[in-house]
Amino acid sequence: MSENNYIMLRMGNFSASEESLNVVNSTGSSSYTASMMSLYFEHRHPYKSYAWGAGLDYYKLESDLITYQVPTLKGQVNYIPFKFKFISLEAFGAFHISSDVKVKSAGLGTNSGVMYGLEYGALARLFPDSKIGASAGLIILEGNLRNIEAAVISKFSGTTLFINIHYKI
């Protein structure tokens, strides 16, 4: 366990689902920005076709009149069906939980709530066993929001295209 550990920094462009955008559009905003950042610890066994880890994700969906801030704690498992010296192709699934979702809206103030959900996706990782490497991929997030009084949304979902830098510790 003290070997083959990685720290990863992930950044991506979050594309919110139609249900998430309905709330933004209902405020009269025609444009929005959405992003995702992640700091993640991963353990990768060099001779197995799986990896596991835990980390923190931060999603933000923002328009002129409403902002969703969703920090989450996640646990993730990767399946690595194809691994070569210079590249690996992986599929993954993760569970998210957050007790600090913030919805800020003009006129209604700030409301807090919780989120739980799943993410799944795929990535291609360059130099998978090296000291420093990179990857790119796609995430599909399906989150359920609860206990947000003023929000008319119960799901926070969408897709993320991301790039990832990993460092072997």
Side-chain angles (χ1 to χ4, degrees):
M1 177 69 185
S2 63
E3 296 180 358
N4 304 307
N5 297 318
Y6 295 84
I7 293 289
M8 286 177 260
L9 178 62
R10 179 179 288 170
M11 302 200 64
N13 185 18
F14 179 65
S15 177
S17 68
E18 187 175 324
E19 182 180 356
S20 300
L21 289 179
N22 283 341
V23 174
V24 171
N25 294 335
S26 71
T27 64
S29 295
S30 59
S31 65
Y32 72 94
T33 58
S35 60
M36 175 265 205
M37 293 184 299
S38 179
L39 183 62
Y40 183 69
F41 165 84
E42 183 177 69
H43 177 73
R44 299 172 63 84
H45 194 287
Y47 306 113
K48 304 280 184 182
S49 61
Y50 64 86
W52 59 269
L56 301 169
D57 284 358
Y58 179 75
Y59 288 89
K60 186 172 186 178
L61 174 63
E62 183 173 35
S63 73
D64 296 341
L65 301 172
I66 192 164
T67 301
Y68 284 87
Q69 296 175 330
V70 184
T72 67
L73 177 64
K74 77 173 181 180
Q76 181 170 312
V77 175
N78 291 32
Y79 172 61
I80 310 165
F82 302 105
K83 183 176 176 186
F84 305 101
K85 184 174 183 175
F86 297 109
I87 192 168
S88 67
L89 300 177
E90 305 177 19
F92 60 86
F95 180 78
H96 283 268
I97 189 163
S98 176
S99 63
D100 192 32
V101 175
K102 297 253 189 285
V103 180
K104 298 176 184 177
S105 59
L108 297 175
T110 301
N111 291 283
S112 296
V114 299
M115 186 190 93
Y116 60 92
L118 300 174
E119 83 174 22
Y120 47 93
L123 65 90
R125 187 182 310 248
L126 296 175
F127 309 110
D129 294 326
S130 66
K131 185 82 169 168
I132 298 175
S135 63
L138 173 74
I139 297 170
I140 299 171
L141 173 68
E142 297 290 336
N144 297 295
L145 296 173
R146 298 289 183 258
N147 301 331
I148 300 177
E149 294 176 17
V152 294
I153 185 172
S154 62
K155 300 250 184 230
F156 187 80
S157 57
T159 57
T160 302
L161 292 173
F162 69 88
I163 58 170
N164 189 34
I165 304 295
H166 71 259
Y167 179 77
K168 189 173 187 178
I169 53 177

